[in-house]
Amino acid sequence: SDTARYRGTHPNTTSLLPSRWRGAAAVAAAAVGVALASSSSSVEPGPWETGLSAAEVLSSPAWPAAFPLTATHLARLDETPDTRFYARPRINVQHVDESAIAALQELYAQELPRGGAVLDLMSSWTSHLAEGRGRDRADGHFARVSGLGAHAEELRANPALHDYHAHDINADPRLPMYADESFDAVFCSVSVDYLADPLPVFREIHRVLKPGGPALFTWSNRMFPTKAIAAWREASEPARLWICGAYFHYSVPGGFTPPEGVDLLPHAGRSDPVYAVSARKLERERAGGQTQSPSCESV
């Protein structure tokens, strides 16, 4: 089935590819000069491999002076356009199990502001919102849920969305469809691992957020391995929190609060793991004028 999983080449990676697609995925990988079986040795580990747990890794990170992810770290096995990979809609394909979905729903109910305008970044047919807490736009929990994702048909099927935009964020990280400071919160479910050029995306998140608004990223260990960046695919699970935190830290220096990470389901083997990293856009006066991110035209 579409939700069938298999253990990937790295112990921290579980593939989302359904069984009938796996042979095609290997052929596609070979066509771009790579092999799935050799992916685990393609990049050197970076400073994100601290040996700390997921609960500790962002407690006091030693950030290098410059963004440490190189082009090699950000490379993907399949560099063909994402629009080709996502050409087929995956409506009703669940990317995490029921326990993980419940954890996401609880987190979003706590952290996303009721009555606010929120952006579901890299959205799909579901926003992982709880019943009565935004799952259906008719429930009135949010004033607006806007979805931005790869496939218009999936977005159209999402009952949470008041409006949506089909947009390849890896081809163009700019979000000119959204005005400055137009959202009370931004969230992204099980997709941050696919960002091939994350810093411009996080600058845009900063631009569209209102001061004080949270940006919240969640994920598990399931992924489409050919589309995940190399550093993420090969990192330990705690290291992935460091990597996501680095996106906040380096994208707009002084523009976000220090990123915080949490392991939402720290019971190995009982369910899919769920991790979250979040930060808030700093008030201008607190950031000493440094929070002015570039406009969408200059990102």
Side-chain angles (χ1 to χ4, degrees):
S1 71
D2 278 342
T3 56
R5 298 180 296 160
Y6 75 105
R7 183 59 57 185
T9 58
H10 191 281
N12 300 309
T13 298
T14 301
S15 176
L16 278 165
L17 288 172
S19 57
R20 66 178 181 276
W21 293 349
R22 289 172 206 153
V27 171
V32 295
V34 294
L36 289 173
S38 64
S39 65
S40 61
S41 60
S42 61
V43 297
E44 292 294 324
W48 43 88
E49 294 294 353
T50 64
L52 298 173
S53 70
E56 301 168 323
V57 70
L58 288 178
S59 60
S60 181
W63 302 117
F67 185 56
L69 276 79
T70 66
T72 301
H73 291 124
L74 295 170
R76 301 176 296 169
L77 295 174
D78 178 3
E79 293 288 6
T80 61
D82 288 353
T83 50
R84 181 183 304 176
F85 183 84
Y86 295 107
R88 178 182 181 272
R90 296 177 173 89
I91 296 172
N92 295 324
V93 175
Q94 291 288 2
H95 296 275
V96 288
D97 65 18
E98 291 183 2
S99 295
I101 291 170
L104 293 177
Q105 291 175 340
E106 182 178 358
L107 178 70
Y108 294 153
Q110 293 174 350
E111 300 297 330
L112 300 178
R114 181 169 187 166
V118 300
L119 171 59
D120 181 1
L121 191 68
M122 304 177 79
S123 184
S124 66
W125 66 271
T126 178
S127 293
H128 301 97
L129 299 171
E131 185 175 356
R133 298 294 186 91
R135 178 186 291 179
D136 193 307
R137 57 185 171 272
D139 65 26
H141 186 75
F142 296 111
R144 178 191 183 194
V145 180
S146 183
L148 185 136
H151 203 288
E153 187 174 342
E154 289 189 20
L155 298 170
R156 191 160 46 245
N158 188 334
L161 303 182
H162 295 77
D163 60 85
Y164 65 85
H165 299 273
H167 178 75
D168 184 349
I169 203 167
N170 279 328
D172 184 358
R174 298 173 299 171
L175 305 177
M177 67 287 291
Y178 299 126
D180 293 0
E181 299 185 359
S182 53
F183 290 103
D184 298 288
V186 175
F187 70 107
C188 177
S189 306
V190 296
S191 294
V192 65
D193 41 327
Y194 304 128
L195 286 176
D197 193 9
L199 297 192
V201 174
F202 274 64
R203 293 186 193 113
E204 282 290 82
I205 291 170
H206 185 271
R207 180 183 66 80
V208 304
L209 266 176
K210 296 177 183 178
L216 179 61
F217 287 80
T218 60
W219 65 89
S220 184
N221 65 349
R222 298 199 202 189
M223 65 180 70
F224 296 112
T226 60
K227 281 298 184 181
I229 65 167
W232 192 283
R233 193 177 60 249
E234 299 171 18
S236 65
E237 294 192 16
R240 292 168 180 166
L241 282 80
W242 195 103
I243 291 171
C244 186
Y247 297 164
F248 282 111
H249 178 77
Y250 292 99
S251 59
V252 184
F256 290 104
T257 59
E260 299 179 357
V262 62
D263 182 350
L264 292 172
L265 290 174
H267 306 296
R270 299 184 186 178
S271 71
D272 288 343
V274 181
Y275 305 97
V277 168
S278 64
R280 290 181 178 269
K281 179 176 177 175
L282 281 171
E283 303 283 347
R284 291 187 184 88
E285 58 270 20
R286 291 180 57 194
Q290 295 183 50
T291 66
Q292 295 293 328
S293 58
S295 68
C296 62
E297 289 80 10
S298 60
V299 170

